[in-house]
Every structure is written in C-alpha cells, then in structure tokens.
Amino acid sequence: MTKIASASVVSGDTNYVHQVRAGHFDLVTDEPKALGGQGQGPAPFDYYLAALSACTAITLRMYAERKGWSLGEFRAELALTRDEEGRLHIHRVLHSDQALSDAQWERLLEVVANTPVTKALREGAEITSERGR
C-alpha cells in the first residue's frame, strides 16, 4: 500500500486537550467547555470538516486554473448535521466573488462531488487497530 498521510496524537493530563502531529505540522484538538474540554482547539469533527473544506478549495482552484477561470476569492461553507436516524450529512455552499456562468458553476459542482476527500468520506475507509509495543 502507498502511504498518503500520517498523524499521531499525544494525550496529556488536561481534559481533553491533545497534541496532534499531522505530517510535519503541530495541531491542538480539544472539546468545547460545554462537553468537559478546555476549548483550546478545534474538536475532531471540526477537523473533519476542515479537511473536506481544504480539499474542496484546493481541488476547485486547481481545476479552475487548468480551465483558465478566475475564482478570485473562493469560499466554501460546510455544515455537519445528524438526522433522526443518526446518519451524518454534510452540506457545502460554495461562493466566488467572480462572475462565473451557470455552466461554469454546474461543472464546479460536478468536480467538487469527486474531490479526493469527498470520495474518501463517501466511500469510507477500512480502519484497523492494534496494540503498540
């Protein structure tokens, strides 16, 4: 198998602040105070949406550049909800300060439905665990 990314987490004594190493970047994750955390960093589902929003913006920017389209200032707003059956739903709203045609928006919406992270979330991934030494 080909490694795509790596991350590790170190847990300290403070509920629920954790130090995450993603690639060569250091991040902090926590839970909101209302859930017993310290509110010192994004919660795990915040990073989940952040990963998808980043992939959305990068993929669409790459596509637009190849087509010679200017996206100008591009913004994607994402929301994660859970329905009555407990299923998760993500909704994206895309914005550009450029005057794109309806045909361009239609194509961008087709492209965004197939970004690498979108596909990974939609298709799922096999997750395995083992005890370390």
Side-chain angles (χ1 to χ4, degrees):
M1 285 194 236
T2 303
K3 185 187 219 178
I4 297 172
S6 65
S8 62
V9 63
V10 176
S11 181
D13 288 337
T14 307
N15 291 5
Y16 293 104
V17 179
H18 289 77
Q19 305 303 314
V20 177
R21 182 85 174 164
H24 62 276
F25 296 97
D26 294 317
L27 311 169
V28 173
T29 189
D30 195 1
E31 289 290 342
K33 290 183 179 186
L35 295 178
Q38 306 303 306
Q40 292 184 14
F45 273 122
D46 296 326
Y47 279 118
Y48 182 81
L49 285 183
L52 180 58
S53 66
C55 188
T56 296
I58 291 168
T59 301
L60 290 184
R61 178 84 47 200
M62 287 176 170
Y63 182 80
E65 285 176 0
R66 281 196 302 267
K67 290 292 193 177
W69 302 348
S70 173
L71 290 182
E73 182 179 291
F74 175 81
R75 189 172 81 252
E77 299 169 353
L78 286 77
L80 178 66
T81 58
R82 190 179 299 275
D83 67 20
E84 296 79 25
E85 287 81 40
R87 290 183 305 239
L88 293 173
H89 297 268
I90 299 171
H91 183 70
R92 280 184 283 219
V93 180
L94 309 178
H95 304 270
S96 171
D97 68 357
Q98 299 299 295
L100 299 170
S101 70
D102 289 342
Q104 287 172 311
W105 273 113
E106 185 176 320
R107 184 62 187 133
L108 290 173
L109 290 169
E110 290 171 2
V111 169
V112 80
N114 292 294
T115 71
V117 173
T118 300
K119 285 182 175 181
L121 294 176
R122 187 174 51 239
E123 296 167 4
E126 179 182 343
I127 300 172
T128 59
S129 301
E130 67 180 76
R131 178 182 173 180
R133 306 273 180 236

